[in-house]
Amino acid sequence: MRLSLGYQAPMHPLDRPVWSALTSRQASFAVGGGAALRFPADVSPLAAGADAAVVAALIPAGDDVSLLEAAPPTAPAGVTVIRSALCVQMIAPCLAGGGANVRLEPLNDADAAEMLALATLTRPGPFRARTHALGRFLGIRHGARLVAMAGERLNLDGFHEVSAVCTHPDYRGRGYGAALMRAVAQRMLDQGDTPFLHSYADNAPAIALYRSLGFDVRAEIIHAVWANA
Protein backbone atom coordinates (compact mmCIF):
# COMPACT_ATOMS: atom_id res chain seq x y z
CA MET A 1 0.00 0.00 0.00
CA ARG A 2 1.19 3.50 -0.83
CA LEU A 3 -0.27 6.64 0.74
CA SER A 4 -0.79 9.87 -1.16
CA LEU A 5 -1.64 12.46 1.46
CA GLY A 6 -0.74 15.77 -0.06
CA TYR A 7 2.70 16.05 1.53
CA GLN A 8 5.42 16.92 -0.96
CA ALA A 9 8.18 14.33 -0.92
CA PRO A 10 11.65 15.56 0.03
CA MET A 11 14.42 15.82 -2.51
CA HIS A 12 16.00 12.73 -0.95
CA PRO A 13 13.90 10.17 0.94
CA LEU A 14 16.44 10.01 3.76
CA ASP A 15 16.00 13.72 4.54
CA ARG A 16 12.66 12.75 6.12
CA PRO A 17 13.16 9.03 6.71
CA VAL A 18 10.15 8.59 9.00
CA TRP A 19 7.75 10.09 6.49
CA SER A 20 9.37 8.15 3.66
CA ALA A 21 8.94 4.87 5.58
CA LEU A 22 5.35 5.52 6.65
CA THR A 23 4.32 6.39 3.08
CA SER A 24 6.04 3.39 1.49
CA ARG A 25 7.03 0.00 2.93
CA GLN A 26 5.79 0.69 6.46
CA ALA A 27 2.49 2.30 5.51
CA SER A 28 0.64 -0.44 7.40
CA PHE A 29 1.96 1.10 10.64
CA ALA A 30 0.83 4.65 9.82
CA VAL A 31 -1.35 6.46 12.34
CA GLY A 32 -2.79 9.85 11.38
CA GLY A 33 -3.26 11.28 7.93
CA GLY A 34 -3.13 14.42 5.83
CA ALA A 35 -0.07 16.39 6.89
CA ALA A 36 1.26 14.17 9.70
CA LEU A 37 1.85 10.51 10.47
CA ARG A 38 3.32 8.50 13.33
CA PHE A 39 3.90 4.90 14.34
CA PRO A 40 1.65 3.32 16.99
CA ALA A 41 2.87 4.43 20.42
CA ASP A 42 3.82 0.91 21.53
CA VAL A 43 5.89 0.41 18.36
CA SER A 44 7.81 3.69 18.15
CA PRO A 45 7.46 7.36 19.08
CA LEU A 46 8.68 8.40 15.61
CA ALA A 47 6.46 10.86 13.76
CA ALA A 48 6.73 13.21 10.78
CA GLY A 49 4.75 15.85 8.99
CA ALA A 50 4.72 19.15 7.16
CA ASP A 51 2.35 20.86 9.62
CA ALA A 52 3.75 21.26 13.14
CA ALA A 53 0.30 21.67 14.71
CA VAL A 54 -0.91 18.44 13.14
CA VAL A 55 2.21 16.61 14.33
CA ALA A 56 1.57 17.96 17.81
CA ALA A 57 -1.98 16.63 17.68
CA LEU A 58 -0.53 13.12 17.32
CA ILE A 59 1.27 13.28 20.69
CA PRO A 60 -0.42 10.70 22.95
CA ALA A 61 -1.48 11.82 26.41
CA GLY A 62 1.40 11.31 28.84
CA ASP A 63 3.80 10.35 26.04
CA ASP A 64 5.96 12.04 23.42
CA VAL A 65 6.86 11.89 19.75
CA SER A 66 10.28 11.91 18.13
CA LEU A 67 11.05 13.73 14.90
CA LEU A 68 14.05 12.67 12.84
CA GLU A 69 14.52 15.12 9.98
CA ALA A 70 17.07 17.31 8.29
CA ALA A 71 14.90 20.34 9.04
CA PRO A 72 12.10 19.53 11.50
CA PRO A 73 9.26 22.03 11.90
CA THR A 74 9.27 24.52 14.76
CA ALA A 75 7.33 23.29 17.76
CA PRO A 76 3.99 25.10 18.06
CA ALA A 77 2.53 26.66 21.18
CA GLY A 78 1.51 24.11 23.76
CA VAL A 79 4.40 21.76 22.96
CA THR A 80 7.47 21.26 25.14
CA VAL A 81 10.68 20.40 23.31
CA ILE A 82 12.25 17.79 25.56
CA ARG A 83 15.24 17.33 23.31
CA SER A 84 16.72 18.72 20.12
CA ALA A 85 20.01 17.06 19.26
CA LEU A 86 22.24 16.99 16.21
CA CYS A 87 22.74 13.55 14.67
CA VAL A 88 24.63 12.22 11.71
CA GLN A 89 22.98 9.95 9.21
CA MET A 90 25.33 7.34 7.78
CA ILE A 91 24.97 4.94 4.85
CA ALA A 92 26.95 1.88 3.77
CA PRO A 93 26.89 1.06 0.03
CA CYS A 94 29.20 -1.84 0.95
CA LEU A 95 30.68 -3.28 4.14
CA ALA A 96 34.23 -3.72 5.33
CA GLY A 97 35.35 -7.28 6.06
CA GLY A 98 36.45 -8.83 9.31
CA GLY A 99 34.74 -9.07 12.66
CA ALA A 100 34.27 -11.49 15.51
CA ASN A 101 33.05 -15.01 14.81
CA VAL A 102 30.12 -15.35 17.21
CA ARG A 103 26.86 -17.24 17.17
CA LEU A 104 23.90 -15.06 16.22
CA GLU A 105 20.31 -16.13 16.60
CA PRO A 106 17.06 -14.65 15.30
CA LEU A 107 14.82 -12.95 17.85
CA ASN A 108 11.02 -12.92 17.72
CA ASP A 109 7.91 -12.24 19.76
CA ALA A 110 8.97 -14.79 22.38
CA ASP A 111 12.05 -12.66 23.08
CA ALA A 112 10.19 -9.33 23.26
CA ALA A 113 10.43 -8.87 27.04
CA GLU A 114 14.18 -9.57 27.05
CA MET A 115 14.73 -7.23 24.12
CA LEU A 116 12.86 -4.41 25.83
CA ALA A 117 14.78 -4.98 29.07
CA LEU A 118 18.15 -4.87 27.26
CA ALA A 119 17.19 -1.71 25.35
CA THR A 120 15.88 -0.06 28.52
CA LEU A 121 19.20 -0.77 30.25
CA THR A 122 21.49 0.34 27.43
CA ARG A 123 19.34 3.08 25.80
CA PRO A 124 20.31 2.67 22.13
CA GLY A 125 17.43 4.95 21.15
CA PRO A 126 13.64 4.91 21.42
CA PHE A 127 12.56 1.31 21.96
CA ARG A 128 9.05 0.30 22.91
CA ALA A 129 7.22 -2.94 23.73
CA ARG A 130 6.56 -3.71 20.04
CA THR A 131 9.54 -2.05 18.36
CA HIS A 132 10.69 -5.54 17.39
CA ALA A 133 7.69 -5.71 15.03
CA LEU A 134 9.38 -3.20 12.71
CA GLY A 135 11.81 -5.76 11.29
CA ARG A 136 14.13 -8.67 11.85
CA PHE A 137 16.38 -8.77 14.89
CA LEU A 138 19.42 -10.84 15.75
CA GLY A 139 20.80 -11.49 19.21
CA ILE A 140 23.73 -12.99 21.07
CA ARG A 141 23.17 -15.05 24.19
CA HIS A 142 25.48 -16.00 27.01
CA GLY A 143 23.83 -19.16 28.24
CA ALA A 144 20.15 -18.29 28.34
CA ARG A 145 20.78 -14.56 28.82
CA LEU A 146 20.32 -12.11 25.93
CA VAL A 147 23.43 -9.92 26.08
CA ALA A 148 23.46 -8.13 22.72
CA MET A 149 21.14 -7.42 19.80
CA ALA A 150 20.63 -5.37 16.64
CA GLY A 151 17.84 -5.12 14.14
CA GLU A 152 15.85 -3.13 11.64
CA ARG A 153 13.74 -0.03 12.17
CA LEU A 154 12.82 2.33 9.30
CA ASN A 155 12.21 0.56 6.00
CA LEU A 156 11.68 2.66 2.89
CA ASP A 157 12.08 2.19 -0.82
CA GLY A 158 15.76 1.48 -1.48
CA PHE A 159 16.96 2.01 2.10
CA HIS A 160 16.80 0.08 5.37
CA GLU A 161 17.83 1.29 8.83
CA VAL A 162 20.11 -0.61 11.20
CA SER A 163 18.93 0.16 14.71
CA ALA A 164 18.70 -0.93 18.37
CA VAL A 165 22.36 -1.94 18.44
CA CYS A 166 23.10 -2.61 22.09
CA THR A 167 25.28 -4.77 24.33
CA HIS A 168 24.92 -5.38 28.04
CA PRO A 169 27.67 -3.48 29.91
CA ASP A 170 29.11 -6.75 31.27
CA TYR A 171 29.76 -8.02 27.73
CA ARG A 172 31.17 -5.00 25.92
CA GLY A 173 34.55 -5.05 24.23
CA ARG A 174 34.01 -8.45 22.61
CA GLY A 175 32.99 -7.22 19.15
CA TYR A 176 29.36 -8.23 19.57
CA GLY A 177 27.91 -4.96 18.29
CA ALA A 178 30.06 -4.97 15.17
CA ALA A 179 29.24 -8.62 14.43
CA LEU A 180 25.52 -7.99 14.76
CA MET A 181 25.65 -4.84 12.63
CA ARG A 182 27.54 -6.62 9.87
CA ALA A 183 24.99 -9.41 9.78
CA VAL A 184 21.99 -7.08 9.79
CA ALA A 185 23.44 -4.70 7.20
CA GLN A 186 24.70 -7.47 4.91
CA ARG A 187 21.23 -8.97 4.75
CA MET A 188 19.92 -5.56 3.63
CA LEU A 189 22.58 -5.29 0.95
CA ASP A 190 21.83 -8.81 -0.25
CA GLN A 191 18.21 -7.76 -0.75
CA GLY A 192 19.19 -4.72 -2.80
CA ASP A 193 18.79 -2.03 -0.13
CA THR A 194 21.34 0.46 1.19
CA PRO A 195 21.77 0.21 4.96
CA PHE A 196 21.66 3.44 6.94
CA LEU A 197 21.76 4.44 10.59
CA HIS A 198 21.73 7.44 12.90
CA SER A 199 24.13 8.45 15.64
CA TYR A 200 24.33 11.48 17.87
CA ALA A 201 26.96 13.74 16.35
CA ASP A 202 28.97 13.93 19.58
CA ASN A 203 29.22 10.14 19.97
CA ALA A 204 32.71 9.86 18.49
CA PRO A 205 33.37 6.22 19.57
CA ALA A 206 30.16 4.99 17.92
CA ILE A 207 30.82 6.94 14.72
CA ALA A 208 34.35 5.52 14.56
CA LEU A 209 32.92 2.00 14.88
CA TYR A 210 30.39 2.62 12.13
CA ARG A 211 33.10 3.99 9.83
CA SER A 212 35.18 0.86 10.44
CA LEU A 213 32.24 -1.21 9.20
CA GLY A 214 31.90 0.80 5.97
CA PHE A 215 29.38 3.51 6.91
CA ASP A 216 29.99 7.10 5.83
CA VAL A 217 28.16 10.27 6.83
CA ARG A 218 25.47 11.27 4.33
CA ALA A 219 23.81 14.17 6.14
CA GLU A 220 23.13 15.89 9.43
CA ILE A 221 19.76 15.09 10.99
CA ILE A 222 17.96 16.62 13.96
CA HIS A 223 16.38 14.38 16.57
CA ALA A 224 13.64 16.37 18.29
CA VAL A 225 11.42 15.05 21.07
CA TRP A 226 8.07 16.79 21.61
CA ALA A 227 5.65 16.41 24.48
CA ASN A 228 2.50 18.26 25.45
CA ALA A 229 3.22 21.19 27.74
Side-chain angles (χ1 to χ4, degrees), residues 201-215:
D202 60 359
N203 192 348
I207 293 171
L209 169 63
Y210 304 151
R211 287 190 183 278
S212 75
L213 297 174
F215 285 85

Side-chain angles (χ1 to χ4, degrees), residues 17 21 28 114 159 163 187 192 202 218 222:
S28 62
E114 287 182 280
F159 300 91
S163 188
R187 183 162 55 186
D202 60 359
R218 189 200 79 86
I222 302 297

Side-chain angles (χ1 to χ4, degrees), residues 18 38 44-48 52 55-56 58-60 62-69 71-76 78-87 123-128 153 200 221-229:
V18 179
R38 66 157 295 155
S44 174
L46 290 172
V55 174
L58 294 178
I59 302 174
D63 202 350
D64 55 52
V65 296
S66 286
L67 284 71
L68 199 61
E69 305 190 7
T74 301
V79 167
T80 297
V81 180
I82 297 175
R83 183 171 199 172
S84 182
L86 180 65
C87 297
R123 303 177 65 84
F127 198 95
R128 301 286 176 90
R153 185 169 65 174
Y200 289 115
I221 295 285
I222 302 297
H223 175 214
V225 181
W226 290 4
N228 290 315

Side-chain angles (χ1 to χ4, degrees), residues 151-168:
E152 303 167 345
R153 185 169 65 174
L154 296 176
N155 186 1
L156 49 145
D157 292 337
F159 300 91
H160 214 153
E161 185 185 20
V162 180
S163 188
V165 182
C166 53
T167 302
H168 191 283

Side-chain angles (χ1 to χ4, degrees), residues 162-221:
V162 180
S163 188
V165 182
C166 53
T167 302
H168 191 283
D170 294 345
Y171 294 87
R172 289 174 180 164
R174 306 186 187 193
Y176 288 174
L180 286 160
M181 289 184 67
R182 277 196 178 90
V184 171
Q186 188 59 57
R187 183 162 55 186
M188 296 170 178
L189 287 166
D190 291 344
Q191 294 180 342
D193 287 334
T194 298
F196 72 103
L197 57 80
H198 297 96
S199 173
Y200 289 115
D202 60 359
N203 192 348
I207 293 171
L209 169 63
Y210 304 151
R211 287 190 183 278
S212 75
L213 297 174
F215 285 85
D216 287 315
V217 174
R218 189 200 79 86
E220 292 183 342
I221 295 285

